[in-house]
Amino acid sequence: MQYEGPLNPLVRLEIGELYARYAKYYDDGQGEKFGALFTSAATFVRGPGTDPVVGRDEIVELARSAGTPGIRHFVSNVVVDPAPGKTATGSAYVQVVTADEEAVRLVTMGCYTDEFRYEDGSWRFHLHRYDPFTGAGLRGAVLATIC
């Protein structure tokens, strides 16, 4: 698809799919595919007090090294707004959990705030920021037990 103007429903769908692929590729440890979702000069801010991860190569390494058995990202409430040029802004809520044979446990919950760019024929994250709603005290809280 050639980008030519304001955000139409197809563009919104593509950016929603970008969030879905982000979750899947990160959870599955597919570093190369995860990195391809970002512009070559992207910045990933993982929360307050963390150093930003800058550039696609560093983002690929982050995804490769971040594997946690049973981790799953659930993304919802995606909002996308047009911005000047071939850009857009957006946000989404995220809940990250781990699941094993005994329980589903909270890892973190928060909000993504993003700047997107249309680059090389697809929408990509250019600035991706995560801001948590939860503190370290809730990490590992049991959300559900598995019988």
Side-chain angles (χ1 to χ4, degrees):
M1 180 188 131
Q2 187 71 14
Y3 178 78
E4 297 178 358
L7 299 180
N8 62 46
L10 183 56
V11 171
R12 292 180 189 281
L13 183 64
E14 286 180 16
I15 291 175
E17 177 81 5
L18 186 65
Y19 279 116
R21 289 182 184 281
Y22 172 103
K24 175 155 183 49
Y25 297 157
Y26 190 91
D27 293 349
D28 293 347
Q30 297 182 49
E32 291 296 326
K33 286 183 176 183
F34 183 79
L37 302 175
F38 293 80
T39 65
S40 57
T43 300
F44 184 166
V45 181
R46 296 177 292 157
T50 63
D51 292 331
V53 179
V54 180
R56 187 178 288 147
D57 291 341
E58 285 190 31
I59 292 169
V60 167
E61 286 307 311
L62 169 72
R64 281 185 183 153
S65 66
T68 300
I71 195 168
R72 292 292 176 252
H73 286 69
F74 295 94
V75 180
S76 65
N77 296 38
V78 174
V79 175
V80 181
D81 295 304
K86 295 181 178 183
T87 65
T89 60
S91 64
Y93 292 155
V94 61
Q95 180 179 23
V96 183
V97 302
T98 59
D100 57 33
E101 292 180 5
E102 297 175 13
V104 176
R105 292 180 174 80
L106 180 67
V107 174
T108 189
M109 187 181 327
C111 184
Y112 294 139
T113 305
D114 297 291
E115 293 177 14
F116 306 100
R117 290 200 179 158
Y118 191 77
E119 179 180 278
D120 297 329
S122 14
W123 285 96
R124 300 174 194 275
F125 294 100
H126 183 66
L127 174 60
H128 178 66
R129 176 182 195 87
Y130 172 67
D131 291 302
F133 297 153
T134 56
L138 286 176
R139 181 178 282 267
V142 174
L143 301 176
T145 56
I146 300 171
C147 299

